[in-house]
Amino acid sequence: MTSCRLCKRDCAPSSDLCNYHLTAKRNVESGYKQWSEAYGAITWKEYLKQVGQNKETGQWAKEVAELLSKESPE
Ligand SMILES: [Zn+2]
């Protein structure tokens, strides 16, 4: 069992994130579709930046957004 890439918790099955961060990641990913429908075209990277800066974003999602942003190409 390895630990989450963002915290010390154990990973969720077949994931490199814990349950909390995995759930947050799914929320961030599904939020992208809603966001682009509501605000028009936005790049994945730009979206992640917005998520990270949004006061409404929870701590888990912020950490996930940061990680995804680092991993995604410009
Ligand atoms: Zn975690």
Side-chain angles (χ1 to χ4, degrees):
M1 194 77 146
T2 49
S3 57
C4 174
R5 295 178 64 196
L6 290 164
C7 66
K8 302 285 183 212
R9 289 175 182 83
D10 288 342
C11 281
S14 64
S15 173
D16 53 4
L17 296 172
C18 67
N19 268 319
Y20 298 96
H21 281 118
L22 186 62
T23 303
K25 182 170 177 258
R26 290 198 180 121
N27 289 340
V28 167
E29 284 168 349
S30 68
Y32 179 54
K33 195 170 177 287
Q34 291 170 7
W35 185 294
S36 39
E37 275 164 12
Y39 301 100
I42 182 169
T43 65
W44 173 236
K45 191 102 177 170
E46 187 62 27
Y47 165 73
L48 291 172
K49 203 171 128 192
Q50 297 293 334
V51 168
Q53 287 170 353
N54 194 333
K55 287 190 191 71
E56 309 283 304
T57 305
Q59 189 59 37
W60 301 106
K62 263 189 190 153
E63 289 167 8
V64 165
E66 230 170 79
L67 178 72
L68 292 172
S69 179
K70 271 182 218 154
E71 285 180 342
S72 60
E74 292 296 333

